[in-house]
Amino acid sequence: MQDWSKAKLAWLETSADFGLIITDRNFIICSWNYWLEMHSGISSRAAVGKCLFELFPQLRERGIDGKYREALTGRTIVLAQRFHSYLLPLPAVNASRDGAMMQQTAQIMPVRDEAGQVVGTLTVIHDVTERVRREDELRQQIAELETVQRISASILSLDLHECLQMLATKIRSMLRTDFVAVFLCDGDDLILKASTGLTTAAVICKSGCRCLAGQAAARRQAVLSADLAGDGLSSLSDGGVSGMAVPLFADNQLIGALTVEAAVKDAFSSNQLQQLERLAALAAVAISHAKMYDITRVSEERYRVLAEELAANVRTLGKRNQQMVLLQEVGQAVQRCTSTDEAYQVVAAYGPQLFPGVSGGLYVYEEDRDFLRLAAVWGDYPPELAGFVARRCWDEGRIDYCRWGRDCALLLASRGDSSWCIPLIANGEKTGVINLVARSASGSAPVWPEDDSNFAVTVADHLALALANLRLKEKLYEQAIRDPLTGLYNRRYMEEVLAMELAQTERTGGTIGVIMLDIDFFKRVNDSYGHEAGDVVLKRLGRFIAESVRKGDIACRFGGEEFAVILPNTLAEAVCRRAEQLRQGFAGLAIIYREKIVGPLSLSAGVAVYPGDATSGEDLVRLADSRLYQAKQAGRNRVVGPAGWQDCCCW
């Protein structure tokens, strides 16, 4: 954890919108952030120093302690909500009344020391309660639509009485209620035509009378009553205590009303009323057709149209199910990605399936320059626009037809075709934009179906969250391998890379050079100008080395004022020349601190080359460091390399 920025760790402990737990190898809690304090009610002071499994014994009962032990072997463990529901038993944000638990996804990652040994665990917990709630609502809506569809299909009878009786029976079963009645209009009267749970043979009421059925017919809208007796709205002499009613319309004409009553108060919710309204819309069509057939033997063509409408509804439900399966598949593919670049390729591969019939581009947001960069394309998306300044692209928080006219860069790139933008926003943070372009052969702007638009927004929400999580993982990894002062790689990363390069060289042949660099008399800089000036010198040297090495070279801060450069596939003479170039180049730098030039400054360098000088990475670094020491002993400001290399100095 020494490689982490203290400021970054402090931010994660106090301001992060996710839970963060750090433990040692014995699972003793070392860090417990404010997010966990707020949601668990356990303060950091009370948690730190305690064993995680003693603080939460449920983790052992559920076998989660085994997952933590797996993390100590070096693996990163992902606990998905759909399999584990939650890691810690924390109350949901809005669980004050029902005691619901917060739904969570969690990652348990190993924490390594500078030597690469696992010294503990890091757990990141995200609250996905709201996302799960939305998914549950979507599944419930699909189930309700399927139920309504089945009922609608079951009442398609040419016999009016059979149709009405079947409707009443199905509604009673669907809502699990006591009484259901179907009224049909006869002039100004509403006549009971079918019922379940009632003993009354016939009921007649005026469409304007004070009862559930009459009120629904008169107002031409649904009516909900928690207390029929108190409201004086009972439609049935042996009816219930609470109820709801909806009017029946066919071709914009009132043809009757549906009444549902229960024997207890507050039996129905507004959601059930909406469900009854949806069913009434389809039932009214079936009732109207049955009435017409009884009177005029409705034509086969009209019946075919009704069948096609129902088939279209079934196809819509089937399409929605396919979309949900595809979205789940895409989500799993993105979760398997180890970098955002890999995730962008997944989006490009699935783009034609997610957005059929349109081409598209995924733009990712780069906050440091307020820029949207094109990261992935599919279809025949116009390639002219590789990126642009974001500006007004965040004004719309939902999918919308492009409104910016000639001023919009994306619309210009689409060559006049219709263009839609869907912002990617996760946890309130901007992630990017999906731009979709539809071609129109006729020249008129094509209209995207509402269902497809809603699905596109759902896709955007899932992608935004997945990409945001990947970005966070990349940032944490980058912080773990970078020196916070100079931005160069740290010693731990250098040792890992050197080991891999040596293994590669052993298989393929070749050489690897190592340059160890040290600032001469650096203590004088700190003593003369202060430690801030020393930091300025170190940062300037780090930038100078990064700008001077080749793309394949690895520049690192080895420690203190000592730096290292690894040069794969480089001969000894070339490594020494590069070291001399760095020495001379640094001597020519003018480093200014508080309007004064710091210095003069110089570098000493030691060079070692594999396989001529050493057979292991440790020996190679040790020899280069020893030659650096020889350069210091010989008077500094020089390069000491393998035998045969002429030492250089600059006086």
Side-chain angles (χ1 to χ4, degrees):
M1 296 301 297
Q2 295 177 357
D3 296 327
W4 278 41
S5 163
K6 292 183 179 179
K8 183 64 176 180
L9 182 57
W11 179 90
L12 288 170
E13 290 180 340
T14 59
S15 304
D17 58 351
F18 52 83
L20 183 73
I21 308 171
I22 301 175
T23 73
D24 62 16
R25 287 189 61 87
N26 296 319
F27 309 110
I28 302 301
I29 298 173
C30 304
S31 179
W32 180 269
N33 74 344
Y34 177 73
W35 187 93
L36 286 167
E37 290 188 32
M38 180 176 62
H39 289 284
S40 68
I42 302 173
S43 68
S44 177
R45 179 176 297 179
V48 172
K50 298 284 183 64
C51 175
L52 179 62
F53 304 134
E54 293 178 1
L55 193 60
F56 294 100
Q58 304 94 328
L59 295 178
R60 281 200 177 102
E61 295 170 4
R62 296 163 55 202
I64 302 298
D65 55 333
K67 303 294 184 181
Y68 274 87
R69 291 187 178 88
E70 285 188 57
L72 292 181
T73 66
R75 293 183 57 196
T76 294
I77 309 300
V78 177
L79 301 181
Q81 177 275 331
R82 63 182 179 275
F83 296 124
H84 301 275
S85 294
Y86 56 86
L87 175 63
L88 299 185
L90 307 179
V93 174
N94 297 317
S96 58
R97 288 181 298 179
D98 57 14
M101 303 299 290
M102 176 191 295
Q103 299 297 296
Q104 306 158 16
T105 59
Q107 290 177 295
I108 307 171
M109 296 171 278
V111 175
R112 302 178 185 272
D113 60 13
E114 293 185 353
Q117 299 298 315
V118 177
V119 296
T121 68
L122 183 150
T123 305
V124 177
I125 303 173
H126 286 279
D127 181 0
V128 296
T129 306
E130 181 62 19
R131 188 188 75 189
V132 172
R133 184 189 65 79
R134 290 181 181 177
E135 291 174 350
D136 289 343
E137 287 181 351
L138 179 59
R139 283 191 290 268
Q140 182 179 352
Q141 290 174 4
I142 292 175
E144 290 177 357
L145 288 173
E146 290 174 344
T147 300
V148 169
Q149 191 67 41
R150 287 195 298 270
I151 294 176
S152 176
S154 68
I155 63 175
L156 282 177
S157 170
L158 298 181
D159 180 82
L160 179 59
H161 175 73
E162 181 183 348
C163 171
L164 297 177
Q165 195 60 46
M166 181 68 72
L167 175 62
T169 302
K170 293 292 185 180
I171 292 176
R172 186 184 183 192
S173 174
M174 179 181 72
L175 298 178
R176 296 182 176 87
T177 188
D178 300 310
F179 315 112
V180 177
V182 183
F183 293 85
L184 292 185
C185 290
D186 184 7
D188 291 334
D189 297 332
L190 289 173
I191 303 175
L192 180 64
K193 290 292 187 180
S195 64
T196 59
L198 300 172
T199 58
T200 304
V203 176
I204 301 176
C205 61
K206 299 291 185 181
S207 60
C209 72
R210 184 170 175 76
C211 68
L212 277 179
Q215 290 291 303
R219 297 177 184 177
R220 305 175 74 84
Q221 64 182 23
V223 178
L224 177 64
S225 173
D227 182 3
L228 290 174
D231 296 338
L233 293 177
S234 179
S235 301
L236 309 170
S237 59
D238 55 351
V241 177
S242 61
M244 56 183 177
V246 295
L248 296 171
F249 292 97
D251 297 328
N252 294 322
Q253 296 294 320
L254 180 70
I255 64 170
L258 286 175
T259 300
V260 178
E261 297 185 14
V264 294
K265 291 184 179 180
D266 288 315
F268 304 109
S269 65
S270 57
N271 288 335
Q272 288 176 307
L273 185 60
Q274 293 175 0
Q275 189 177 2
L276 187 62
E277 286 182 287
R278 287 194 291 268
L279 178 58
L282 291 174
V285 175
I287 294 171
S288 176
H289 277 259
K291 287 177 64 177
M292 291 175 61
Y293 183 81
D294 282 353
I295 298 172
T296 63
R297 295 290 181 175
V298 65
S299 67
E300 293 182 358
E301 180 61 24
R302 293 292 300 272
Y303 187 76
R304 184 186 63 80
V305 171
L306 177 61
E308 288 180 352
E309 290 176 354
L310 294 174
N313 289 336
V314 173
R315 288 194 297 270
T316 299
L317 290 173
K319 177 181 178 182
R320 187 170 300 174
N321 289 334
Q322 291 175 357
Q323 289 175 336
M324 293 301 103
V325 171
L326 177 60
L327 185 58
Q328 183 180 16
E329 182 180 340
V330 175
Q332 292 173 349
V334 172
Q335 288 178 5
R336 290 193 294 267
C337 295
T338 58
S339 68
T340 51
D341 289 336
E342 187 179 349
Y344 301 151
Q345 298 308 311
V346 170
V347 175
Y350 279 96
Q353 300 176 60
L354 292 169
F355 309 105
V358 296
S359 58
L362 170 65
Y363 290 83
V364 294
Y365 183 58
E366 298 177 351
E367 185 176 6
D368 55 343
R369 52 179 184 154
D370 194 30
F371 193 76
L372 284 163
R373 173 178 60 84
L374 184 61
V377 298
W378 59 90
D380 58 342
Y381 187 77
E384 294 88 349
L385 196 62
F388 57 94
V389 177
R391 284 199 298 270
R392 293 178 296 181
C393 285
W394 305 111
D395 289 355
E396 291 291 338
R398 57 185 174 80
I399 188 170
D400 197 10
Y401 179 74
C402 185
R403 296 185 176 188
W404 308 123
R406 296 295 178 182
D407 296 331
C408 177
L410 287 176
L411 185 61
L412 292 174
S414 68
R415 303 189 185 116
D417 294 311
S418 296
S419 175
W420 291 270
C421 283
I422 317 171
L424 302 180
I425 300 177
N427 301 322
E429 296 293 327
K430 304 168 185 175
T431 304
V433 167
I434 293 177
N435 177 239
L436 303 174
V437 177
R439 305 298 186 198
S440 175
S442 63
S444 59
V447 178
W448 228 27
E450 183 178 352
D451 288 345
D452 290 345
S453 299
N454 294 335
F455 177 67
V457 173
T458 302
V459 171
D461 290 343
H462 282 71
L463 286 179
L465 185 59
L467 294 177
N469 288 338
L470 279 174
R471 280 187 173 183
L472 176 60
K473 288 173 58 178
E474 289 180 338
K475 284 182 180 179
L476 293 176
Y477 176 73
E478 190 70 12
Q479 291 168 359
I481 65 173
R482 292 282 185 181
D483 170 54
L485 179 64
T486 63
L488 299 180
Y489 293 113
N490 56 30
R491 180 173 179 175
R492 170 187 165 189
Y493 182 78
M494 167 193 162
E495 292 171 348
E496 293 177 354
V497 170
L498 183 58
M500 290 189 292
E501 291 291 344
L502 285 172
Q504 177 71 14
T505 302
E506 287 179 359
R507 291 193 299 269
T508 61
T511 60
I512 297 176
V514 173
I515 303 173
M516 300 297 292
L517 302 161
D518 190 276
I519 302 175
D520 297 327
F521 302 110
F522 183 72
K523 186 176 182 301
R524 294 180 183 176
V525 175
N526 288 330
D527 294 342
S528 302
Y529 300 92
H531 288 281
E532 288 185 1
D535 288 346
V536 170
V537 172
L538 291 173
K539 285 193 284 188
R540 184 65 184 92
L541 175 56
R543 188 167 77 250
F544 168 71
I545 294 174
E547 294 170 348
S548 302
V549 299
R550 302 170 303 179
K551 185 176 181 181
D553 298 339
I554 299 97
C556 311
R557 184 183 178 189
F558 194 73
E561 66 271 24
E562 193 170 359
F563 293 76
V565 181
I566 300 174
L567 298 91
N569 298 318
T570 308
L571 297 176
E573 183 177 356
V575 177
C576 292
R577 283 201 304 270
R578 181 58 56 84
E580 178 61 14
Q581 290 169 0
L582 292 172
R583 184 191 70 79
Q584 294 181 9
F586 181 69
L589 293 179
I591 302 176
I592 299 175
Y593 174 71
R594 293 185 177 177
E595 300 181 353
K596 293 182 180 180
I597 296 179
V598 180
L601 298 171
S602 62
L603 290 177
S604 295
V607 174
V609 180
Y610 172 90
D613 289 332
T615 58
S616 70
E618 292 181 359
D619 291 341
L620 193 63
V621 173
R622 189 180 298 112
L623 180 57
D625 202 47
S626 174
R627 287 173 177 169
L628 168 62
Y629 180 76
Q630 293 176 30
K632 294 281 189 180
Q633 293 295 105
R636 295 179 173 80
N637 194 21
R638 67 191 63 230
V639 176
V640 174
W645 165 254
Q646 180 65 38
D647 291 350
C648 295
C649 61
C650 181
W651 303 103

